[in-house]
Amino acid sequence: MTLSDLGVGSTVPLRQLGRLMLEWRNRSGLSQARAAELLEMGATSLARLEKAEITRVRTGVIKEACGIYGVPEDIAEGMVRLAQQAKVKNWWHSYRDLMPKHLDVYVGLEAAAAGCVTYQPELIPGLLQTEEYDRALLCARWPNEPAEERDRRTQIKQHRQVAITRKNRPLDVDVVIGEAALRRPVGGPMVMARQLRHLADTSTRDNVSIRVLPLRAGFPGGVSMLPFVILDFGTPPPGAPTEPLVVYLEGMVGSMYLEDQDDVRIYYSAHETLRQAALDEAASRNLLRRIAREYAP
């Protein structure tokens, strides 16, 4: 099964291809400037290819680079396949006019992930938001946006959520949500009631774990943690390149992707600390249903 069979699109193949291009250029002993000269391309263009900062890759360039770098035939064939997979257009490409670049990258990674570990202290995680909860947030953020554009924004979230319910390799989700997210009203009492019931119902799925961090837990680990997501891409098929775990930190004007193993380990440890301080899954489900009744009996 290929990445394109899974509906991954360009993000992951480009990242894998970029890492391989950089690795084999370094093995060849060529500087970036000299390699770009041999490939008859700008050094900036080669740098962007190695960093996966481009949207289109010419397979001819990859074949030529493999020859110059001395890449073994079987690996070269795999690199060409990655370049071909990077051309596949998937659902989120039709929404690029609405998504900032960092979210475009994230959606592609999320679609390829096998597991998602996340902490959200004040907001319901996007993968678990109901449509009306999402719409309420969108109305507050873009109050003057035309209705048809807002409809398209809600479709982005709905497409992403299919990852949890899809029959083929559903996404494993392990979530810790701060109690503040349940108490902070979005869209009114009925919207919140339905949102919390949706969380409770979704938490019964085998591939979903939802735990609530109660306010009384204070600050586990002695720090105030900002939201984060850890994406795990599972074990690749034999011969396929490995995609390293990624920590995603979203910001208002940009986002960070951490791949260093030490950084990933720190966030996994932080999530485990939060998870241990949170209510267990059954108690969390009961709390969700109780607070839902408080909003709308």
Side-chain angles (χ1 to χ4, degrees):
M1 181 176 295
T2 67
L3 290 170
S4 55
D5 293 330
L6 294 171
V8 173
S10 61
T11 304
V12 171
L14 279 175
R15 286 161 55 88
Q16 295 175 338
L17 179 61
R19 281 195 297 272
L20 287 168
M21 286 286 287
L22 176 60
E23 176 187 346
W24 284 98
R25 177 175 64 77
N26 287 335
R27 287 193 184 193
S28 73
L30 292 172
S31 68
Q32 196 171 74
R34 179 55 179 159
E37 182 181 347
L38 293 173
L39 290 168
E40 298 182 348
M41 64 189 301
T44 300
S45 296
L46 179 57
R48 293 183 67 229
L49 172 57
E50 293 177 350
K51 294 178 182 178
E53 294 178 349
I54 58 176
T55 57
R56 296 184 63 84
V57 180
R58 290 188 290 119
T59 54
V61 170
I62 303 306
K63 291 178 181 179
E64 188 175 356
C66 288
I68 293 172
Y69 298 163
V71 180
E73 184 177 349
D74 58 336
I75 297 177
E77 290 177 356
M79 291 171 67
V80 171
R81 284 197 299 272
L82 287 173
Q84 292 168 340
Q85 290 166 7
K87 298 178 181 180
V88 174
K89 300 297 183 184
N90 284 282
W91 64 262
W92 57 88
H93 289 84
S94 61
Y95 297 94
R96 274 188 163 171
D97 58 315
L98 298 178
M99 292 194 295
K101 182 178 178 181
H102 67 268
L103 183 58
D104 180 37
V105 172
Y106 175 78
V107 169
L109 293 173
E110 185 182 75
C116 173
V117 170
T118 184
Y119 169 61
Q120 278 287 351
E122 296 186 309
L123 190 70
I124 304 302
L127 285 174
L128 301 172
Q129 291 175 6
T130 62
E131 181 179 341
E132 55 186 357
Y133 184 97
D134 182 32
R135 281 184 180 275
L137 291 172
L138 293 174
C139 286
R141 188 166 185 180
W142 289 283
N144 301 318
E145 188 172 57
E148 58 270 20
E149 293 295 275
R150 194 169 297 134
D151 289 342
R152 293 181 64 217
R153 290 188 189 277
T154 62
Q155 290 167 12
I156 295 173
K157 196 72 61 66
Q158 291 166 23
H159 277 297
R160 289 173 54 200
Q161 292 173 350
V162 170
I164 293 177
T165 58
R166 65 193 176 199
K167 292 183 179 179
N168 181 25
R169 208 181 66 132
L171 182 67
D172 287 323
V173 180
D174 189 341
V175 178
V176 176
I177 303 175
E179 185 179 346
L182 317 184
R183 305 288 186 181
R184 193 179 293 276
V186 174
M190 292 303 298
V191 172
M192 288 301 298
R194 285 190 283 265
Q195 173 64 76
L196 299 189
R197 289 177 184 131
H198 173 70
L199 285 177
D201 293 343
T202 304
S203 71
T204 62
R205 297 183 60 88
D206 292 340
N207 61 313
V208 177
S209 170
I210 298 175
R211 292 173 182 251
V212 175
L213 181 68
L215 293 173
R216 66 173 181 271
F219 297 94
V223 295
S224 175
M225 290 296 300
L226 295 174
F228 63 86
V229 178
I230 307 173
L231 296 175
D232 182 352
F233 301 91
T235 303
T242 299
E243 181 66 16
L245 279 68
V246 175
V247 176
Y248 173 68
L249 306 173
E250 184 176 6
M252 282 294 292
V253 296
S255 300
M256 293 180 61
Y257 294 89
L258 307 178
E259 296 181 5
D260 182 85
Q261 289 187 357
D262 290 337
D263 292 337
V264 173
R265 193 176 300 113
I266 287 171
Y267 275 91
Y268 257 123
S269 176
H271 187 268
E272 183 59 26
T273 298
L274 293 165
R275 201 172 187 271
Q276 292 297 322
L279 303 175
D280 63 27
E281 293 179 45
S284 296
R285 192 176 302 120
N286 290 336
L287 178 62
L288 288 166
R289 297 196 188 283
R290 178 170 64 78
I291 298 178
R293 289 193 298 270
E294 293 176 9
Y295 280 113

